[in-house]
PDB file of all heavy atoms in Angstrom:
ATOM      1  N   ALA A 121      23.481   4.534 199.742  1.00  0.00           N
ATOM      2  CA  ALA A 121      22.657   5.717 199.478  1.00  0.00           C
ATOM      3  C   ALA A 121      21.304   5.343 198.885  1.00  0.00           C
ATOM      4  O   ALA A 121      20.275   5.918 199.247  1.00  0.00           O
ATOM      5  CB  ALA A 121      23.403   6.668 198.542  1.00  0.00           C
ATOM      6  N   TYR A 122      21.297   4.363 197.977  1.00  0.00           N
ATOM      7  CA  TYR A 122      20.056   4.008 197.295  1.00  0.00           C
ATOM      8  C   TYR A 122      19.242   2.931 198.008  1.00  0.00           C
ATOM      9  O   TYR A 122      18.041   2.819 197.782  1.00  0.00           O
ATOM     10  CB  TYR A 122      20.360   3.546 195.866  1.00  0.00           C
ATOM     11  CG  TYR A 122      20.639   4.683 194.921  1.00  0.00           C
ATOM     12  CD1 TYR A 122      21.935   5.102 194.669  1.00  0.00           C
ATOM     13  CD2 TYR A 122      19.598   5.354 194.293  1.00  0.00           C
ATOM     14  CE1 TYR A 122      22.197   6.158 193.812  1.00  0.00           C
ATOM     15  CE2 TYR A 122      19.843   6.407 193.434  1.00  0.00           C
ATOM     16  CZ  TYR A 122      21.146   6.805 193.197  1.00  0.00           C
ATOM     17  OH  TYR A 122      21.397   7.851 192.350  1.00  0.00           O
ATOM     18  N   LYS A 123      19.894   2.126 198.852  1.00  0.00           N
ATOM     19  CA  LYS A 123      19.199   1.012 199.492  1.00  0.00           C
ATOM     20  C   LYS A 123      18.973   1.213 200.990  1.00  0.00           C
ATOM     21  O   LYS A 123      18.399   0.333 201.635  1.00  0.00           O
ATOM     22  CB  LYS A 123      20.007  -0.275 199.284  1.00  0.00           C
ATOM     23  CG  LYS A 123      20.122  -0.734 197.835  1.00  0.00           C
ATOM     24  CD  LYS A 123      18.806  -1.265 197.320  1.00  0.00           C
ATOM     25  CE  LYS A 123      18.964  -1.917 195.962  1.00  0.00           C
ATOM     26  NZ  LYS A 123      17.691  -2.478 195.457  1.00  0.00           N
ATOM     27  N   GLN A 124      19.417   2.319 201.559  1.00  0.00           N
ATOM     28  CA  GLN A 124      19.340   2.508 203.006  1.00  0.00           C
ATOM     29  C   GLN A 124      17.903   2.486 203.536  1.00  0.00           C
ATOM     30  O   GLN A 124      16.982   2.907 202.818  1.00  0.00           O
ATOM     31  CB  GLN A 124      20.020   3.826 203.385  1.00  0.00           C
ATOM     32  CG  GLN A 124      19.398   5.077 202.778  1.00  0.00           C
ATOM     33  CD  GLN A 124      20.195   6.312 203.130  1.00  0.00           C
ATOM     34  OE1 GLN A 124      20.456   6.600 204.292  1.00  0.00           O
ATOM     35  NE2 GLN A 124      20.608   7.055 202.110  1.00  0.00           N
ATOM     36  N   PRO A 125      17.738   1.988 204.783  1.00  0.00           N
ATOM     37  CA  PRO A 125      18.761   1.374 205.632  1.00  0.00           C
ATOM     38  C   PRO A 125      19.113  -0.027 205.129  1.00  0.00           C
ATOM     39  O   PRO A 125      18.240  -0.769 204.676  1.00  0.00           O
ATOM     40  CB  PRO A 125      18.098   1.325 207.007  1.00  0.00           C
ATOM     41  CG  PRO A 125      16.639   1.226 206.701  1.00  0.00           C
ATOM     42  CD  PRO A 125      16.424   2.042 205.456  1.00  0.00           C
ATOM     43  N   ILE A 126      20.384  -0.380 205.227  1.00  0.00           N
ATOM     44  CA  ILE A 126      20.850  -1.630 204.645  1.00  0.00           C
ATOM     45  C   ILE A 126      21.885  -2.271 205.564  1.00  0.00           C
ATOM     46  O   ILE A 126      22.642  -1.568 206.245  1.00  0.00           O
ATOM     47  CB  ILE A 126      21.450  -1.376 203.241  1.00  0.00           C
ATOM     48  CG1 ILE A 126      21.855  -2.682 202.570  1.00  0.00           C
ATOM     49  CG2 ILE A 126      22.624  -0.413 203.320  1.00  0.00           C
ATOM     50  CD1 ILE A 126      22.280  -2.502 201.117  1.00  0.00           C
ATOM     51  N   THR A 127      21.908  -3.591 205.599  1.00  0.00           N
ATOM     52  CA  THR A 127      22.868  -4.305 206.439  1.00  0.00           C
ATOM     53  C   THR A 127      24.148  -4.593 205.656  1.00  0.00           C
ATOM     54  O   THR A 127      24.166  -4.529 204.422  1.00  0.00           O
ATOM     55  CB  THR A 127      22.294  -5.644 206.928  1.00  0.00           C
ATOM     56  OG1 THR A 127      22.095  -6.508 205.794  1.00  0.00           O
ATOM     57  CG2 THR A 127      20.971  -5.438 207.649  1.00  0.00           C
ATOM     58  N   LYS A 128      25.200  -4.935 206.386  1.00  0.00           N
ATOM     59  CA  LYS A 128      26.473  -5.280 205.750  1.00  0.00           C
ATOM     60  C   LYS A 128      26.304  -6.514 204.863  1.00  0.00           C
ATOM     61  O   LYS A 128      26.877  -6.587 203.771  1.00  0.00           O
ATOM     62  CB  LYS A 128      27.536  -5.542 206.820  1.00  0.00           C
ATOM     63  CG  LYS A 128      28.913  -5.886 206.255  1.00  0.00           C
ATOM     64  CD  LYS A 128      29.934  -6.028 207.357  1.00  0.00           C
ATOM     65  CE  LYS A 128      29.783  -7.352 208.073  1.00  0.00           C
ATOM     66  NZ  LYS A 128      30.258  -8.491 207.222  1.00  0.00           N
ATOM     67  N   GLN A 129      25.509  -7.471 205.329  1.00  0.00           N
ATOM     68  CA  GLN A 129      25.301  -8.695 204.561  1.00  0.00           C
ATOM     69  C   GLN A 129      24.633  -8.396 203.213  1.00  0.00           C
ATOM     70  O   GLN A 129      24.971  -9.001 202.192  1.00  0.00           O
ATOM     71  CB  GLN A 129      24.439  -9.681 205.365  1.00  0.00           C
ATOM     72  CG  GLN A 129      25.134 -10.292 206.580  1.00  0.00           C
ATOM     73  CD  GLN A 129      25.230  -9.332 207.758  1.00  0.00           C
ATOM     74  OE1 GLN A 129      24.593  -8.277 207.761  1.00  0.00           O
ATOM     75  NE2 GLN A 129      26.037  -9.701 208.749  1.00  0.00           N
ATOM     76  N   GLU A 130      23.699  -7.456 203.217  1.00  0.00           N
ATOM     77  CA  GLU A 130      23.019  -7.092 201.969  1.00  0.00           C
ATOM     78  C   GLU A 130      23.985  -6.397 201.010  1.00  0.00           C
ATOM     79  O   GLU A 130      23.929  -6.612 199.796  1.00  0.00           O
ATOM     80  CB  GLU A 130      21.826  -6.189 202.274  1.00  0.00           C
ATOM     81  CG  GLU A 130      20.675  -6.907 202.961  1.00  0.00           C
ATOM     82  CD  GLU A 130      19.583  -5.965 203.432  1.00  0.00           C
ATOM     83  OE1 GLU A 130      19.906  -4.848 203.887  1.00  0.00           O
ATOM     84  OE2 GLU A 130      18.402  -6.348 203.352  1.00  0.00           O
ATOM     85  N   MET A 131      24.866  -5.551 201.553  1.00  0.00           N
ATOM     86  CA  MET A 131      25.879  -4.892 200.704  1.00  0.00           C
ATOM     87  C   MET A 131      26.773  -5.932 200.048  1.00  0.00           C
ATOM     88  O   MET A 131      27.064  -5.866 198.844  1.00  0.00           O
ATOM     89  CB  MET A 131      26.748  -3.946 201.543  1.00  0.00           C
ATOM     90  CG  MET A 131      26.040  -2.792 202.193  1.00  0.00           C
ATOM     91  SD  MET A 131      27.230  -1.819 203.155  1.00  0.00           S
ATOM     92  CE  MET A 131      26.201  -1.311 204.531  1.00  0.00           C
ATOM     93  N   GLU A 132      27.222  -6.897 200.855  1.00  0.00           N
ATOM     94  CA  GLU A 132      28.124  -7.924 200.340  1.00  0.00           C
ATOM     95  C   GLU A 132      27.418  -8.815 199.327  1.00  0.00           C
ATOM     96  O   GLU A 132      28.041  -9.303 198.375  1.00  0.00           O
ATOM     97  CB  GLU A 132      28.668  -8.757 201.501  1.00  0.00           C
ATOM     98  CG  GLU A 132      29.603  -7.963 202.407  1.00  0.00           C
ATOM     99  CD  GLU A 132      30.061  -8.745 203.622  1.00  0.00           C
ATOM    100  OE1 GLU A 132      29.398  -9.748 203.964  1.00  0.00           O
ATOM    101  OE2 GLU A 132      31.080  -8.349 204.228  1.00  0.00           O
ATOM    102  N   SER A 133      26.118  -9.014 199.506  1.00  0.00           N
ATOM    103  CA  SER A 133      25.349  -9.817 198.556  1.00  0.00           C
ATOM    104  C   SER A 133      25.289  -9.125 197.199  1.00  0.00           C
ATOM    105  O   SER A 133      25.360  -9.771 196.146  1.00  0.00           O
ATOM    106  CB  SER A 133      23.932 -10.038 199.090  1.00  0.00           C
ATOM    107  OG  SER A 133      23.134 -10.725 198.145  1.00  0.00           O
ATOM    108  N   ILE A 134      25.174  -7.785 197.212  1.00  0.00           N
ATOM    109  CA  ILE A 134      25.115  -7.019 195.966  1.00  0.00           C
ATOM    110  C   ILE A 134      26.490  -6.927 195.312  1.00  0.00           C
ATOM    111  O   ILE A 134      26.635  -7.136 194.104  1.00  0.00           O
ATOM    112  CB  ILE A 134      24.565  -5.602 196.226  1.00  0.00           C
ATOM    113  CG1 ILE A 134      23.100  -5.676 196.673  1.00  0.00           C
ATOM    114  CG2 ILE A 134      24.678  -4.732 194.973  1.00  0.00           C
ATOM    115  CD1 ILE A 134      22.513  -4.348 197.095  1.00  0.00           C
ATOM    116  N   ARG A 135      27.521  -6.646 196.118  1.00  0.00           N
ATOM    117  CA  ARG A 135      28.863  -6.446 195.566  1.00  0.00           C
ATOM    118  C   ARG A 135      29.619  -7.747 195.353  1.00  0.00           C
ATOM    119  O   ARG A 135      30.526  -7.821 194.533  1.00  0.00           O
ATOM    120  CB  ARG A 135      29.686  -5.533 196.484  1.00  0.00           C
ATOM    121  CG  ARG A 135      29.169  -4.112 196.580  1.00  0.00           C
ATOM    122  CD  ARG A 135      30.284  -3.119 196.886  1.00  0.00           C
ATOM    123  NE  ARG A 135      31.246  -3.069 195.811  1.00  0.00           N
ATOM    124  CZ  ARG A 135      32.528  -3.387 195.947  1.00  0.00           C
ATOM    125  NH1 ARG A 135      32.992  -3.793 197.106  1.00  0.00           N
ATOM    126  NH2 ARG A 135      33.352  -3.309 194.926  1.00  0.00           N
ATOM    127  N   GLY A 136      29.289  -8.760 196.151  1.00  0.00           N
ATOM    128  CA  GLY A 136      29.968 -10.039 195.997  1.00  0.00           C
ATOM    129  C   GLY A 136      31.317 -10.113 196.672  1.00  0.00           C
ATOM    130  O   GLY A 136      32.079 -11.054 196.432  1.00  0.00           O
ATOM    131  N   VAL A 137      31.644  -9.114 197.503  1.00  0.00           N
ATOM    132  CA  VAL A 137      32.921  -9.104 198.221  1.00  0.00           C
ATOM    133  C   VAL A 137      32.699  -8.593 199.639  1.00  0.00           C
ATOM    134  O   VAL A 137      31.668  -7.992 199.949  1.00  0.00           O
ATOM    135  CB  VAL A 137      33.965  -8.199 197.521  1.00  0.00           C
ATOM    136  CG1 VAL A 137      34.324  -8.738 196.155  1.00  0.00           C
ATOM    137  CG2 VAL A 137      33.441  -6.772 197.406  1.00  0.00           C
TER     138      VAL A 137
END
Side-chain angles (χ1 to χ4, degrees):
Y122 282 94
K123 295 289 189 178
Q124 61 184 306
I126 184 172
T127 65
K128 181 176 77 73
Q129 290 76 12
E130 290 172 323
M131 297 179 215
E132 292 175 341
S133 176
I134 294 174
R135 294 208 64 242
V137 295

